[in-house]
Amino acid sequence: MAQVEPINAFDDNYIWAIRDTDKKQVWVVDPGDAEPVLSYLAQHDATLCGILITHHHWDHTNGVAELTHAFPNTNVYGPQNSKFKGITHALQNGDSLTVFEHTFSVLTTPGHTLDHICYCNDVLCFTGDTLFSAGCGRLFEGSAEQMWHSFKLLSQFNDNTLIYCTHEYSAANLAFAIAVEPDNNDIKAHIEWVTTQRKNNLPSLPTRFGIERKINPFLRSDLPHMLHHLPHDVTVNNLTPSHNFAALRLWKDQF
């Protein structure tokens, strides 16, 4: 039976390890740094047998070369249109791959970057920098319309589906979420939970789609009240969900 565990990297990254305890084999998601992955493998006397990449940014890919040098038979899966050249198995929307007992569908989710993909099934999703707890990635390459479409793709999953994103941004994201919806009691309760988790040096992830539908302002961009507290210097062209999303993202960028 495979289990998913966080490997801490940099200041706030999680490299997710999918570990089969019986086979002593591990896949990792977005290894921006090789050293903590090698330490994790040594600690569990395990072999690396696969790498999943969500997009090309360095903090998701910089460890790949060292890891594939240490484990030469390791396959590297990632987006077909990626700027990252270390991918051995290129993937596009609708592809699938199996990691131990999990079969994942590949969803193209441009917005944060143009090459971003997510690996999802009804049990868990690796969402990289597309969907965070109470937040989303900055729009470095794509548009708000693309990101909103990506969010709608991810919205197909049920409330219990787990979300494994790559950054521990929950506390900062929730500070913004409560500014958007100051009367949202679900956000207030989640702030208390995340605060306790972090005080105990525990991750706030994974989260669940059911939670995010209640607290994530970007997932909730289609609700009519979401711009009621929008600052005067942030304008919105018309009240479509993607324009609401764009206004919220601009506000968050300045927050």
Side-chain angles (χ1 to χ4, degrees), residues 9 24 49 54-56 58 95 113 131 174 200 212 220 224 226-227 236-237 241 247 253:
K24 293 191 173 183
C49 56
T54 61
H55 64 293
H56 67 268
W58 69 269
D95 285 344
T113 63
L131 175 62
L174 286 163
N200 292 320
E212 296 307 308
R220 296 164 62 80
M226 292 302 291
L227 301 185
V236 57
N237 294 327
D253 291 344

Side-chain angles (χ1 to χ4, degrees), residues 212-232:
E212 296 307 308
R213 290 186 176 103
K214 296 176 180 178
I215 69 168
N216 192 315
F218 299 100
L219 267 181
R220 296 164 62 80
S221 296
D222 55 348
L223 300 179
H225 67 276
M226 292 302 291
L227 301 185
H228 284 180
H229 299 279
L230 193 71
H232 295 303

Side-chain angles (χ1 to χ4, degrees), residues 1-7 15-22 25-29 40 44 99-102 104 124 126 162 164:
M1 186 72 176
Q3 55 196 49
V4 182
E5 298 170 324
I7 302 173
I15 301 167
W16 294 106
I18 312 166
R19 179 165 65 96
D20 187 308
T21 55
D22 295 328
Q25 293 179 339
V26 172
W27 288 61
V28 293
V29 183
Y40 175 90
H44 295 287
V99 178
F100 304 128
E101 72 267 24
H102 290 289
F104 294 104
L124 56 93
F126 295 103
L162 295 164
Y164 292 86

Side-chain angles (χ1 to χ4, degrees), residues 52-54 77-78 91 97 104-105 117-120 124-126:
L52 304 181
I53 298 296
T54 61
Y77 294 81
L91 301 170
L97 74 156
F104 294 104
S105 295
I117 62 175
C118 296
Y119 301 87
C120 296
L124 56 93
C125 287
F126 295 103

